[in-house]
Amino acid sequence: MNRKIVAVDCGKAYTKAMSFDKGSKKVKDLSFRSRVGQSNSLVNLTLDESAHVVSFKNPDKGMEGEWTIGAYSGDTSYSNSKKDAIHKMLMIVAIALVTDNGDMVEVSAGCPLSVYSDRDEKRDYFEYIFPSGRVDLVIDGKEHYFYVDKDRCVIFPECFGALFLYADKFDNK
């Protein structure tokens, strides 16, 4: 079992993810459109590498059935809290696409500053968005599974990266 650190950003336009394998030191990254829709055979015939057909084993409420995720799918989420089935599906698929079967993952993800600054909302978001233990799903007809080490997962406010990129602008603030 490989241990990987995974960072995921589920934006309104694109979902971005990057993994770092602690053993091999290899990095893998990807991005795909943050669009999700119920799958149907007509849509599935037109899919290419920018979209995926996904189903979740033991799905949460609102995640049942088969979904298309990516370029040709239906909806994105404009939720201010990001605590919804669309964001959770995007998070799980992003993790799966940057990991291998059986990997143990530590995940960092962003959340809106309004959620991050409220202790109860932050806790609720953390409990909702990160799956726990083994996660099984099928992507494009292939079974995939990984394990989430929830004790080593963390959320950050979405704007946190700017502190590192532009540290000089935040001096004395």
Side-chain angles (χ1 to χ4, degrees):
M1 174 185 312
N2 290 333
R3 287 195 73 88
K4 290 187 178 160
I5 300 171
V6 179
V8 180
D9 174 22
C10 297
K12 288 178 179 44
Y14 285 89
T15 295
K16 290 83 59 188
M18 182 174 281
S19 68
F20 174 75
D21 188 306
K22 289 182 165 186
S24 70
K25 310 291 188 220
K26 290 185 180 181
V27 173
K28 186 175 183 181
D29 66 335
L30 65 83
S31 70
F32 56 88
R33 293 289 308 268
S34 293
R35 303 193 59 80
V36 175
Q38 286 285 182
S39 183
N40 67 55
S41 56
L42 290 177
V43 170
N44 294 355
L45 290 173
T46 63
L47 294 179
D48 59 25
E49 68 278 351
S50 62
H52 304 280
V53 177
V54 178
S55 61
F56 302 90
K57 297 196 177 175
N58 304 314
D60 285 358
K61 183 177 181 193
M63 295 171 51
E64 303 91 349
E66 191 172 72
W67 300 88
T68 55
I69 293 181
Y72 301 108
S73 301
D75 299 317
T76 191
S77 173
Y78 296 102
S79 164
N80 288 334
S81 74
K82 291 194 173 186
K83 188 180 165 190
D84 57 42
I86 289 176
H87 280 100
K88 189 161 188 171
M89 285 189 269
L90 293 170
M91 168 91 66
I92 291 170
V93 171
I95 294 168
L97 292 173
V98 295
T99 60
D100 299 311
N101 276 342
D103 284 347
M104 174 65 75
V105 297
E106 305 166 14
V107 185
S108 67
C111 73
L113 188 56
S114 60
V115 171
Y116 188 83
S117 60
D118 182 296
R119 187 172 29 132
D120 293 336
E121 282 189 49
K122 179 180 169 183
R123 183 192 67 244
D124 291 346
Y125 176 77
F126 179 92
E127 291 302 323
Y128 176 77
I129 205 69
F130 292 124
S132 187
R134 183 174 166 143
V135 178
D136 290 89
L137 64 159
V138 176
I139 301 175
D140 300 328
K142 297 177 185 157
E143 292 195 22
H144 194 86
Y145 70 97
F146 57 89
Y147 298 89
V148 177
D149 186 351
K150 201 163 180 173
D151 290 337
R152 298 197 44 93
C153 292
V154 64
I155 55 172
F156 293 102
E158 289 176 329
C159 57
F160 194 68
L163 293 173
F164 291 99
L165 292 174
Y166 309 106
D168 58 312
K169 295 182 188 269
F170 294 94
D171 287 345
N172 301 317
K173 295 185 179 177

